[in-house]
Amino acid sequence: MSRIFNSEIDAILEGTSRSFYLSLKELPRPIRKQVSLLYLLARTSDTIADSERGSTSSRLDALESFNDFCMNKSDNLPVLKDISILQRNESERLLLEKIEQIVSILEEFSESDVEDIRKCLKIIISGQILDLERFSSKRGNIISIDTEKELDDYAYRVAGSVGEFWTTMALQHLFEIDEKSEQLLFDTGIKFGKALQMINILRDIPADLSLGRCYIPASSLADLGLNSVDLLDKRNMDIFRPLYNKYLDLTDLYFESAVEYIEKIPHRQFRFRGACMLPVIIGKRTSSLLREGNVLDSENRIKIDRSEIKKTVKNVVMAVPFRNSSQKLLRN
């Protein structure tokens, strides 16, 4: 198994990133730590924002304190003990407890890499802060975002920006391409990130509703005569289905851009291409399952089982050295 940091931090990374760890640990060595550290930092801020207890103002204060600490604007370590003891996931609890050690990893990188990590993290945290403010600024049990523009903005901040970051790291450390191809890589990289976030949003509707938030725009639901509360009833899936499929169609278009992204990566970059292929294949498969099932049925969560993920990993390993096999696997 490829080592990233040390056994302790790697265990936290694996425990918090789940299947995405399969991609992180296989990234080429020159960018593996940078990308993995960004994930840990973003997961920390996400854990703070999603804490089940604590007022909105206290979580916003903690987020801003964490952001200032990461950006080297403050020497004061954010106090996260009250949040850490609430975590049901042991890895997330350890993540918050080890934050000083994790942030210190920034010292291992060049000034340019640190600047890029901080730039992306700042965008991600801005999305998380906006989320906290949005879902606590109105009264009601469940709050929806208002428009598709807001949905797109959120997807960019928390995930599309990560596609930009991966691309920046790759171009700085792995390979060079012409200016036109470079711009295409950035454009499709943003859509790559958005695809993964949209899958999360469309898969996790019941879980988000239970937390009082809905990422399906209120204006779009209203066109069907629905509101966010109606999505609590699985019997409304037939009414919701046309809109749901519309967002799956958009997600699939983003995945097509992700495939284009991978095909633009120089063939010799086996590890980078393989690390990108895995979440795309898993995401496309998840999209297919979501089309077939009833996502509003909270008792039957739609996801790929571990055996299929293991099979996908094996297929990627076998296909990545060969152009035709890679294209066939990606476009299947």
Side-chain angles (χ1 to χ4, degrees):
M1 181 180 291
S2 302
R3 176 174 170 174
I4 302 177
F5 301 111
N6 58 49
S7 57
E8 181 181 41
I9 302 301
D10 283 5
I12 293 173
L13 178 62
E14 183 175 9
T16 54
S17 61
R18 302 180 182 89
S19 63
F20 197 52
Y21 182 73
L22 298 172
S23 287
L24 292 174
K25 71 185 182 69
E26 295 304 330
L27 283 168
R29 189 175 297 276
I31 68 170
R32 191 182 305 156
K33 280 191 174 184
Q34 295 94 318
V35 174
S36 297
L37 178 62
L38 175 66
Y39 181 90
L40 285 171
L41 296 175
R43 188 55 186 260
T44 300
S45 58
D46 186 61
T47 302
I48 294 170
D50 283 349
S51 177
E52 295 181 6
R53 297 184 186 177
S55 65
T56 298
S57 60
S58 66
R59 283 180 285 160
L60 283 170
D61 287 344
L63 263 181
E64 290 171 359
S65 177
F66 173 69
N67 184 60
D68 287 346
F69 186 70
C70 290
M71 301 299 156
N72 202 29
K73 293 180 179 179
S74 171
D75 294 329
N76 297 323
L77 183 69
V79 179
L80 303 177
K81 182 178 180 180
D82 290 345
I83 297 176
S84 68
I85 61 177
L86 299 174
Q87 301 310 308
R88 298 173 184 174
N89 182 307
E90 177 71 6
S91 295
E92 290 180 351
R93 181 183 66 79
L94 290 172
L95 174 66
L96 297 181
E97 291 178 355
K98 299 291 182 181
I99 191 56
E100 184 174 15
Q101 180 181 347
I102 290 170
V103 174
S104 70
I105 297 172
L106 283 168
E107 299 172 4
E108 300 180 17
F109 305 133
S110 68
E111 289 185 11
S112 175
D113 284 354
V114 171
E115 181 180 348
D116 289 325
I117 291 171
R118 285 174 171 161
K119 177 183 177 182
C120 187
L121 181 63
K122 184 177 181 180
I123 296 172
I124 292 170
I125 292 178
S126 75
Q128 294 164 341
I129 289 175
L130 188 62
D131 234 26
L132 265 178
E133 294 173 338
R134 173 188 292 129
F135 292 123
S136 63
S137 61
K138 304 173 185 176
R139 293 184 178 181
N141 292 327
I142 300 175
I143 300 169
S144 290
I145 63 171
D146 291 326
T147 66
E148 292 185 349
K149 184 178 180 180
E150 289 182 3
L151 174 61
D152 183 68
D153 176 68
Y154 174 72
Y156 167 72
R157 293 191 194 217
V158 300
S161 61
V162 179
E164 286 180 311
F165 174 74
W166 276 52
T167 304
T168 298
M169 288 295 101
L171 293 173
Q172 288 183 356
H173 296 283
L174 300 180
F175 56 84
E176 295 181 359
I177 52 178
D178 63 78
E179 186 175 341
K180 183 178 179 180
S181 296
E182 185 175 305
Q183 186 57 53
L184 178 62
L185 212 57
F186 275 109
D187 291 343
T188 53
I190 290 172
K191 292 177 182 178
F192 187 165
K194 287 182 178 180
L196 300 180
Q197 186 61 31
M198 287 298 295
I199 280 292
N200 289 338
I201 288 171
L202 296 173
R203 181 195 60 205
D204 295 340
I205 290 175
D208 287 329
L209 292 173
S210 71
L211 296 174
R213 60 194 183 196
C214 178
Y215 290 99
I216 306 301
S219 57
S220 299
L221 287 171
D223 289 340
L224 297 177
L226 296 173
N227 59 48
S228 56
V229 176
D230 292 324
L231 300 185
L232 291 170
D233 188 343
K234 64 183 180 182
R235 293 172 297 182
N236 286 324
M237 189 65 205
D238 287 342
I239 303 173
F240 178 51
R241 179 77 67 182
L243 178 61
Y244 188 68
N245 284 347
K246 171 188 170 182
Y247 290 129
L248 283 174
D249 290 343
L250 174 63
T251 303
D252 288 344
L253 284 175
Y254 286 157
F255 274 123
E256 285 302 309
S257 292
V259 171
E260 189 176 0
Y261 180 92
I262 295 168
E263 291 177 346
K264 274 293 181 182
I265 299 170
H267 181 71
R268 67 182 182 279
Q269 293 291 334
F270 298 130
R271 295 186 76 99
F272 188 52
R273 286 196 301 107
C276 291
M277 286 173 66
L278 186 58
V280 170
I281 295 167
I282 292 174
K284 290 177 69 175
R285 173 60 176 152
T286 302
S287 177
S288 296
L289 293 176
L290 291 172
R291 285 186 187 275
E292 299 168 2
N294 182 349
V295 74
L296 301 185
D297 184 356
S298 60
E299 296 181 359
N300 293 287
R301 188 169 185 263
I302 299 170
K303 63 178 182 178
I304 298 178
D305 60 43
R306 291 185 178 182
S307 62
E308 187 169 353
I309 290 177
K310 288 182 179 180
K311 181 180 178 181
T312 301
V313 171
K314 182 178 179 180
N315 288 340
V316 169
V317 170
M318 296 293 290
V320 76
F322 309 102
R323 294 182 190 275
N324 290 340
S325 297
S326 296
Q327 290 177 346
K328 183 178 179 180
L329 190 59
L330 283 168
R331 296 188 176 277
N332 186 8

